[in-house]
Amino acid sequence: ESNKNNSMAPPSAWNSQTFLEVLRLYSVHANKEVARVKRNLFGLSDDDKGELTWKGEEQVQAMEDAVKVNIELLDKLGALLKEGPPKGLDERTHIDAPQGSKPAQVLLQTFTREWSAEGLKERGECHDLLVSALDAHFKDKKDEAGSKLKIAVPGASLGRLAFDIAQRGYDCTACEGRVLQWYGSELIRRTAGEKEALKLQPFVLSTCNRFKRLDHIRETPVPEVEVKEGQLPPVV
């Protein structure tokens, strides 16, 4: 896609259709990519097809199935969007609206980084350092406070760092200004304690530079932990 399609639109008042369009464009882009792969594979000569270690028909079907899984997740996000603006957001507030399909793709990968078992290694290196530093800084004040220490997490994305901090006994509030991320955290909140309630295969369109044959269609269900009612801090 062109840079124009993935740029930020001028600030505008709340309009759920703006964000629903981003989700729709992911579907359009993903299906076009699958169609491109299909043309390339089905256009091979019979000799070249015979050299494939994985039949073209099976490859395409696996990609189609993975895209369908992602679209089903984004449809759940879309249903939340239709409920109205994020809590506390005045409908007259001017916001920067994302454009093109890329924000939806980034959101899928962020779900994996923040809330899947696969993402633990990547996020752990950052989160462990931050939470350890927080504990060290307030080590002597925790007992003196008499109540939970209040912590704000700016740029909280899908809320995982705020969740981890709250699990350490802090009174945590998350701040996130990107609308799709806000709704993503709300989707996690509504899993109601069910582990891996949301299914996704976020790397399906990564058709190059794979280590293993099935890398691009691997599943990364979220959340990998139980997120019970009241455990995910409010995102404002």
Side-chain angles (χ1 to χ4, degrees), residues 11-69:
S12 60
W14 167 260
N15 181 358
S16 63
Q17 192 57 45
T18 301
F19 302 95
L20 291 170
E21 179 66 6
V22 171
L23 306 185
R24 186 191 72 82
L25 287 175
Y26 171 84
S27 176
V28 171
H29 173 64
N31 285 315
K32 283 183 177 179
E33 280 297 291
V34 174
R36 179 185 63 80
V37 172
K38 183 176 182 178
R39 287 195 305 271
N40 290 341
L41 289 173
F42 286 23
L44 294 172
S45 68
D46 290 341
D47 288 341
D48 287 338
K49 288 179 181 178
E51 295 295 322
L52 294 175
T53 59
W54 189 13
K55 291 182 179 179
E57 294 85 352
E58 295 175 359
Q59 291 190 50
V60 171
Q61 185 62 58
M63 290 185 68
E64 289 176 343
D65 292 344
V67 166
K68 182 179 178 181
V69 167

Side-chain angles (χ1 to χ4, degrees), residues 94-110:
H94 286 259
I95 54 177
D96 290 325
Q99 299 288 291
S101 64
K102 188 174 181 179
Q105 177 62 50
V106 170
L107 183 66
L108 290 172
Q109 292 176 201
T110 304

Side-chain angles (χ1 to χ4, degrees), residues 20 23 74-84 183 190:
L20 291 170
L23 306 185
L74 295 178
D75 282 346
K76 293 178 181 178
L77 198 72
L80 293 183
L81 277 159
K82 292 176 182 178
E83 292 181 8
Y183 280 100
R190 297 194 186 191

